[in-house]
């Protein structure tokens, strides 16, 4: 049944002919954004194609770049190394600049409860464990942080929503170095399916969901 459902989702996306994240008529990425914001209670979501991209987007959203410093008392070694590579130093004597959450089929149904524990201004959610390739999101309530993070993942002076009109939506957001962090609608559709299925699945016997 699981394979059949996946085949249906893939067929639906492929039939639309929209397989690039820069397609104007894409509906899969906004659909996953809505689901994540609804489940986590955060107002805005930035979808990217890896956990490290999400960490980078979270930092950019916070306004932290090369030469800056953040606080994070519990950063794991690989993430700390990546943050150092970006030129951002980390102190451990303050609240976490961002929280991290990795979803798997076992905990995806508890996303709302897990996200409720986050107190940092940005929440990095790694969706890769759901089984459909590298994928992640940054959730935040800060619209300015969201706008800066969105700007990170497309080339040029426009974001994914303004590139079609070629009108700069926010001249005060100076474009910096940008990266090919865009998430495929195919992966977004599969991640959304996995999250929906997890929410519908009955709780394991004796477990609290």
């Amino acid at each position: 049944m699981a394979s059949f459902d996946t085949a249906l989702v893939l067929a639906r996306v492929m039939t639309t002919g929209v397989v690039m994240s820069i397609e104007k008529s894409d509906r899969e990425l906004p659909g996953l954004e809505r689901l994540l914001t609804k489940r986590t209670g955060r107002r805005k979501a930035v979808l990217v194609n890896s956990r490290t991209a999400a960490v980078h987007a979270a930092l950019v959203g916070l306004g932290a770049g090369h030469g800056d410093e953040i606080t994070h008392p519990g950063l794991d070694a690989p993430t700390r190394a990546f943050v150092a590579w970006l030129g951002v130093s980390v102190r451990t004597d303050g609240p976490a600049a961002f929280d991290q959450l990795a979803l798997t089929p076992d905990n995806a149904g508890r996303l709302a409860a897990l996200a409720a524990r986050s107190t940092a201004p940005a929440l990095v959610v790694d969706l890769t464990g759901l089984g459909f390739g590298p994928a992640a999101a940054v959730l935040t309530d800060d619209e300015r942080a969201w706008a800066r993070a969105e700007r990170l993942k497309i080339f040029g002076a426009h974001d994914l929503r303004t590139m079609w009109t070629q009108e700069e939506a926010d001249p005060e957001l100076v474009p910096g170095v940008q990266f090919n962090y865009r998430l495929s609608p195919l992966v977004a559709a599969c991640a959304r399916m996995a999250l929906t299925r997890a929410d519908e699945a009955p709780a394991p016997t004796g477990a609290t969901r």
Side-chain angles (χ1 to χ4, degrees):
M1 185 64 182
S3 298
F4 181 65
D5 287 344
T6 304
L8 280 178
V9 170
L10 294 176
R12 184 187 77 219
V13 177
M14 296 299 290
T15 301
T16 67
V18 179
V19 294
M20 295 291 291
S21 62
I22 57 175
E23 297 286 350
K24 189 176 183 179
S25 57
D26 167 57
R27 296 291 180 270
E28 304 300 338
L29 295 167
L32 180 57
E33 289 173 351
R34 285 193 297 272
L35 186 151
L36 289 171
T37 53
K38 182 178 179 181
R39 297 279 173 83
T40 63
R42 301 281 184 135
R43 293 177 59 196
K44 307 296 278 187
V46 179
L47 299 176
V48 289
N49 57 13
S50 71
R51 186 182 70 87
T52 50
V55 171
H56 193 179
L59 292 173
V60 169
L62 295 169
H66 192 277
D68 291 328
E69 182 180 73
I70 64 168
T71 58
H72 202 303
L75 210 55
D76 59 90
T79 304
R80 178 181 286 273
F82 176 66
V83 172
W85 181 79
L86 292 173
V88 178
S89 58
V90 180
R91 293 195 348 251
T92 59
D93 58 346
F98 59 89
D99 289 324
Q100 298 187 80
L101 172 60
L103 292 184
T104 68
D106 292 333
N107 69 1
R110 295 186 287 118
L111 172 57
L114 295 170
R117 301 174 185 172
S118 171
T119 57
L123 172 62
V124 171
V125 179
D126 188 357
L127 303 167
T128 306
L130 297 176
F132 297 101
V138 180
L139 284 303
T140 182
D141 289 324
D142 186 332
E143 294 225 9
R144 199 64 174 168
W146 168 81
R148 285 194 290 258
E150 278 284 301
R151 191 64 62 93
L152 184 66
K153 64 182 183 181
I154 191 167
F155 303 114
H158 309 280
D159 62 28
L160 290 175
R161 292 164 180 77
T162 61
M163 64 173 290
W164 301 102
T165 62
Q166 293 294 290
E167 295 176 356
E168 182 55 69
D170 192 340
E172 295 183 5
L173 271 182
V174 179
V177 176
Q178 294 164 306
F179 297 79
N180 189 7
Y181 283 159
R182 299 188 302 274
L183 183 65
S184 159
L186 276 171
V187 177
C190 292
R192 183 164 62 137
M193 175 193 66
L195 288 169
T196 302
R197 183 184 295 160
D199 192 51
E200 294 171 347
T205 302
T208 302
R209 298 182 69 239

